[in-house]
């Protein structure tokens, strides 16, 4: 909603914007390139301190990953990978909410519980579902682009490597751009919507701004996330039991270090 600010006191009022305002950008802090390793260590500490919650959400992520691996093996084609990832993109953010809530409870000095973490799924559910749908649309768009790029794939079996270069180069470049966009809008959106109950566009704008303002650290963080996911799938989903809870807890600590705290009068 629009608001009226006294021009004589505009600078002082800028930092007092309420969370109920739509589509604004929350300010962020600058962090060092080594910060992601600190977040990871905090995530590992939470993982050890909350074994029941970690095991529950780890099993959920593991089950989803195993389902994708089995589906690919059953179908005998890689064409089901992208549709499966769309489903994973819908499920993943809601599972991560429980991990964020558990870390948040520890920060507040409370004793985290599995039931309380599960209730976090219903916190600001409208914005969270809107964001999940947004991610799904991005993945579907990605699939359509991939289908168009497949026209560059050599039609002759046993073609030399040079014939594959246009497909590999253009496909990799487009995939990298889309992956960066998705990562930028989703890095801190979910924890921001959960803690501050902001609308989806405020969460997206704030996340994008935070990533843009901390490019070096976020490249390292993205690499660590990709590494954890690859380990999970390389172990047929079993690795997800450990990597995803740790990454989930670490994401909460990353969010709290980068996104500026809400000012209280």
């Amino acid at each position: 909603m629009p608001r009226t600010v006294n021009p004589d006191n505009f600078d002082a009022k800028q930092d007092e914007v309420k969370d109920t305002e739509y589509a604004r950008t929350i300010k962020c802090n600058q962090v060092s390139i080594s910060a992601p390793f600190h977040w990871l260590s905090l995530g590992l500490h939470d993982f050890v301190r909350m074994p029941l919650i970690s095991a529950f959400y780890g099993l959920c992520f593991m089950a989803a990953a195993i389902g994708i691996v089995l589906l690919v093996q059953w179908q005998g084609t890689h064409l089901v990978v992208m549709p499966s990832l769309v489903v994973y993109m819908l499920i993943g953010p809601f599972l991560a909410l429980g991990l964020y809530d558990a870390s948040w409870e520890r920060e507040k000095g409370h004793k985290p519980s599995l039931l309380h973490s599960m209730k976090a799924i219903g916190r600001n559910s409208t914005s969270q579902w809107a964001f999940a749908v947004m991610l799904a649309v991005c993945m579907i768009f990605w699939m359509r682009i991939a289908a168009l790029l497949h026209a560059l794939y050599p039609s002759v079996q046993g073609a030399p490597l040079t014939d594959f270069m246009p497909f590999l180069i253009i496909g990799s470049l487009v995939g990298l751009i889309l992956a960066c966009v998705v990562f930028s809008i989703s890095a801190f959106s979910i924890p921001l919507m959960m803690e501050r109950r902001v609308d989806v566009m405020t969460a997206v704008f704030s996340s994008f701004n935070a990533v843009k303002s901390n490019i070096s650290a976020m490249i390292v963080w993205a690499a660590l996330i990709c590494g954890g996911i690859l380990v999970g799938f390389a172990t047929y989903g079993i690795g997800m039991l450990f990597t995803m809870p740790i990454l989930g807890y670490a994401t909460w600590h990353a969010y709290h270090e980068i996104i500026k705290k809400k000012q209280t009068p």
Side-chain angles (χ1 to χ4, degrees):
M1 295 291 294
R3 62 193 178 97
T4 302
V5 177
N6 186 344
D8 296 331
N9 198 29
F10 181 75
D11 292 335
K13 292 294 184 180
Q14 270 188 316
D15 292 333
E16 299 177 8
V17 183
K18 296 180 180 180
D19 283 346
T20 52
E21 290 199 8
Y22 183 79
R24 64 192 180 92
T25 300
I26 298 174
K27 295 181 180 179
C28 66
N29 299 312
Q30 300 285 329
V31 298
S32 68
I33 193 172
S34 61
F37 298 101
H38 177 60
W39 305 333
L40 208 59
S41 67
L42 292 175
L44 179 60
H45 183 74
D46 285 351
F47 178 83
V48 174
R49 293 288 182 175
M50 298 181 286
L52 176 61
I53 296 175
S54 300
F56 175 79
Y57 289 103
L59 285 170
C60 291
F61 278 108
M62 183 180 72
I66 290 175
I68 292 176
V69 172
L70 292 177
L71 182 62
V72 172
Q73 291 180 340
W74 176 52
Q75 293 290 329
T77 175
H78 66 280
L79 297 178
V80 298
V81 173
M82 288 300 288
S84 300
L85 288 178
V86 171
V87 177
Y88 200 82
M89 293 292 285
L90 284 168
I91 297 174
F94 288 94
L95 292 177
L97 275 167
L99 298 170
Y100 303 153
D101 177 80
S103 287
W104 189 16
E105 285 295 290
R106 286 200 71 228
E107 279 189 358
K108 293 186 292 187
H110 301 166
K111 183 178 180 180
S113 70
L114 179 58
L115 180 60
H116 190 280
S117 70
M118 294 174 68
K119 289 180 178 179
I121 296 176
R123 186 180 175 90
N124 198 8
S125 58
T126 301
S127 293
Q128 290 161 4
W129 269 112
F131 182 72
V133 171
M134 182 186 296
L135 287 183
V137 170
C138 289
M139 294 299 292
I140 292 171
F141 176 73
W142 198 336
M143 290 170 57
R144 299 307 304 162
I145 294 294
L148 292 174
L149 290 175
H150 203 269
L152 299 174
Y153 196 87
S155 58
V156 180
Q157 286 187 342
L161 180 61
T162 53
D163 290 352
F164 287 89
M165 294 309 293
F167 172 76
L168 294 174
I169 294 174
I170 297 176
S172 299
L173 182 60
V174 172
L176 178 62
I177 293 172
L178 291 174
C180 289
V181 171
V182 171
F183 174 74
S184 297
I185 66 174
S186 61
F188 304 113
S189 296
I190 293 293
L192 188 54
M193 285 185 284
M194 183 190 75
E195 183 191 26
R196 304 274 282 267
R197 294 180 182 269
V198 299
D199 61 274
V200 63
M201 296 312 299
T202 293
V204 167
F205 292 159
S206 301
S207 179
F208 185 86
N209 178 64
V211 173
K212 182 186 67 173
S213 302
N214 294 276
I215 291 292
S216 298
M218 298 315 296
I219 289 175
V220 175
W221 181 230
L224 291 174
I225 292 175
C226 290
I229 293 174
L230 287 175
V231 168
F233 279 106
T235 55
Y236 289 89
I238 297 175
M240 295 288 188
L241 184 63
F242 307 97
T243 60
M244 296 311 292
I246 293 174
L247 288 172
Y249 296 138
T251 298
W252 174 261
H253 294 293
Y255 156 73
H256 248 209
E257 184 172 347
I258 288 184
I259 301 297
K260 284 188 177 292
K261 301 289 192 300
K262 182 178 179 180
Q263 294 190 359
T264 55

